Amino acid sequence: MLKFETLYKEGHEEVVFFSDPSCNLKVIIAIHNTILGPALGGTRMWPYKNEEEALSDVLRLSKGMTYKAAVAGLNLGGGKAVIIGDPVQDKSEALFRCYGRFLESLNGRYITAEDVNITVEDIEHIFTETSNVCGVAKIHGGSGNPAPFTALGTFRGIEASCLKTFGDRSVKGKVFALQGAGSVGCHLGKLLSDNGAKVFFCDINEKNVERFKEFVPNAERVSVDEIYDIPCDVYSPCALGATINDDTIERLKCRVVAGCANNQLAENRHGDILKEKDILYAPDYLINAGGLMNVSIEFEGWSEDKATRMVDTIYDTTLEIFKKSDKDDIPVHQATDLLAEQRIQSIKNIKGRYLGRLAHRFPGRKKLI
Ligand code: NAD
């Protein structure tokens, strides 16, 4: 059961349940923090076992978005939505349009986008009912699929990690173990290979393996379990979260962990262990922020040039975080959290001054002066 105690502890502002039996819509939206701006985060569709499981996912994910936006320097807060349902059987135009109408009622406090199992086509249906959505198709003025920009940002984070670890930004001649040949994995694999890296990869989905081979013909496939044992310079998790855990951490034979997957550390203490083992960890929610940066530009008019320039800043921010981690002698994940928290706090502390807007609220009255 959802308890206010939990919301207080984790800092969530608002949790909304929307439902409509006519189209079998069951959605939970969590708005974690809007100090920096409207909460932005994707909608995930998943056949959760029950409401409890969906709720705990949306609370965790929405908090992560607050940190991601803050550290990326965006004027956005954190939020996320989960639709409980089977993406193969339960999707319909009515479901997404109904969801869009509910989103409209939140008055822009939450803006949605794609997440797991939500496609640009689904977003189009939502867009029919509300403008509080991004990741809209390019043909309708949006930015389309964010995966190439997520990959570019991850690549910039990898370059920063290479500079810090090997004294040279280039990935040329470096060996990568890339886990997950999905949308982002394909684009990242191609960037690495085109820039002279050797790529080993794995995936559980044969269709995605075939697509990856087209993107990166020189890559070498290994088994799903073997990926942790590959002697390499960089282990790059691009599938699921929590792959740095008690079972895998002793097997890693790399100098750097840097990939696009969310929540790579099973627990924060695994970040501490990486530091003890002298393995550099590139903060996942910073280096995978390229997709978020890309969609955020839609509201001011998207262009590939603007998106690329913004995503490129991930290189400098990653270096800044490494510097902070060294200076304060704290693990990288802690330094990243601190940077995000400090930015939110500093904006929260700004003193408001009366801006003389009172008269505008009562347009029928005469001005006082
Ligand atoms: P995707 O679903 O297209 O790709 C994930 C791939 O991982 C799939 O090919 C899947 O078969 C594979 N996979 C699953 N379990 C695996 C396992 N045990 N071993 C090997 N492969 C496995 O998803 P995506 O959009 O490429 O996202 C990848 C990761 O990056 C996710 O964690 C996602 O949350 C994160 N991320 C994605 C974006 C984005 O723009 N798409 C943005 C930020 C973060």
Side-chain angles (χ1 to χ4, degrees), residues 68 147 150 180 182-184 203-205 208 224 238-240 260-262 288:
K68 188 184 285 203
T150 303
S183 311
V184 184
D203 201 292
I204 51 170
N205 178 323
N208 289 358
V224 166
C238 296
L240 305 176
C260 68
N262 279 315
N288 73 17

Side-chain angles (χ1 to χ4, degrees), residues 67-68 71 244 249 257 263-276 279-287 318 320-326 328-342:
Y67 280 71
K68 188 184 285 203
V71 86
I244 314 282
I249 205 158
V257 173
N263 304 319
Q264 292 163 27
L265 304 174
E267 293 171 45
N268 278 344
R269 69 183 170 83
H270 294 108
D272 305 343
I273 302 173
L274 286 179
K275 183 171 162 55
E276 282 158 24
I279 296 177
L280 180 68
Y281 169 63
D284 53 8
Y285 67 76
L286 166 65
I287 75 167
T318 309
E320 193 188 323
I321 284 168
F322 290 153
K323 220 183 266 173
K324 184 171 176 55
S325 150
D326 283 347
D328 299 348
D329 194 23
I330 50 173
V332 173
H333 67 276
Q334 244 179 58
T336 321
D337 285 358
L338 280 174
L339 202 80
E341 284 160 8
Q342 279 164 4

Side-chain angles (χ1 to χ4, degrees), residues 30 39 49 93 109 113 141 155 187 196 204 246 311:
K49 279 193 231 98
E93 177 191 351
R109 286 198 304 287
F155 183 71
H187 290 280
I204 51 170
D246 288 338
V311 174

Side-chain angles (χ1 to χ4, degrees), residues 44 61 68 80 114-117 145-151 178-186 202-206 208-209 211 224-225 227-228 237-241 243 259-263 284 288-292:
R44 177 169 292 196
L61 291 165
K68 188 184 285 203
K80 204 90 181 177
E114 290 92 348
D115 195 67
V116 176
N117 291 323
N145 179 8
F149 290 93
T150 303
L178 192 151
Q179 180 183 43
S183 311
V184 184
C186 279
C202 73
D203 201 292
I204 51 170
N205 178 323
E206 287 306 317
N208 289 358
V209 166
R211 189 183 49 171
V224 166
D225 188 52
I227 198 81
Y228 301 106
C238 296
L240 305 176
T243 60
C260 68
N262 279 315
N263 304 319
D284 53 8
N288 73 17
L292 175 66

Side-chain angles (χ1 to χ4, degrees), residues 354 356 359 365-369:
Y354 174 60
R365 287 173 23 154
K366 280 193 186 144
K367 280 192 175 170
L368 292 175
I369 306 165

Side-chain angles (χ1 to χ4, degrees), residues 168-174 176 192 195-198:
D168 175 12
R169 164 178 185 161
S170 170
V171 299
K172 194 170 179 188
K174 307 268 176 345
F176 284 75
L192 293 170
N195 283 280
K198 166 80 192 160

Side-chain angles (χ1 to χ4, degrees), residues 97-288:
R97 289 188 58 174
C98 177
Y99 175 43
R101 287 184 190 186
F102 281 130
L103 284 178
E104 182 66 13
S105 74
L106 292 176
N107 240 339
R109 286 198 304 287
Y110 169 66
I111 300 164
T112 200
E114 290 92 348
D115 195 67
V116 176
N117 291 323
I118 297 294
T119 63
V120 177
E121 289 72 37
D122 304 327
I123 293 290
E124 292 293 287
H125 291 314
I126 298 171
F127 189 46
T128 309
E129 302 292 344
T130 180
S131 51
N132 296 324
V133 58
C134 50
V136 170
K138 280 189 182 157
I139 198 165
H140 293 137
S143 60
N145 179 8
F149 290 93
T150 303
L152 177 64
T154 307
F155 183 71
R156 295 286 176 243
I158 288 172
E159 286 184 310
S161 309
C162 285
L163 180 69
K164 164 99 174 99
T165 309
F166 308 109
D168 175 12
R169 164 178 185 161
S170 170
V171 299
K172 194 170 179 188
K174 307 268 176 345
V175 178
F176 284 75
L178 192 151
Q179 180 183 43
S183 311
V184 184
C186 279
H187 290 280
L188 179 61
K190 181 166 167 48
L191 279 169
L192 293 170
S193 177
D194 287 354
N195 283 280
K198 166 80 192 160
V199 179
F200 291 92
F201 78 103
C202 73
D203 201 292
I204 51 170
N205 178 323
E206 287 306 317
K207 232 168 82 186
N208 289 358
V209 166
E210 289 313 310
R211 189 183 49 171
F212 189 88
K213 281 187 190 158
E214 282 168 27
F215 267 74
V216 199
N218 297 332
E220 215 170 296
R221 186 185 183 180
V222 296
S223 77
V224 166
D225 188 52
E226 211 182 335
I227 198 81
Y228 301 106
D229 303 317
I230 299 284
C232 59
D233 296 298
V234 181
Y235 162 59
S236 188
C238 296
L240 305 176
T243 60
I244 314 282
N245 54 47
D246 288 338
D247 295 332
T248 60
I249 205 158
E250 292 307 324
R251 291 168 61 184
L252 294 178
K253 296 177 183 64
C254 59
R255 299 282 312 279
V256 173
V257 173
C260 68
N262 279 315
N263 304 319
Q264 292 163 27
L265 304 174
E267 293 171 45
N268 278 344
R269 69 183 170 83
H270 294 108
D272 305 343
I273 302 173
L274 286 179
K275 183 171 162 55
E276 282 158 24
K277 290 170 76 71
D278 204 20
I279 296 177
L280 180 68
Y281 169 63
D284 53 8
Y285 67 76
L286 166 65
I287 75 167
N288 73 17

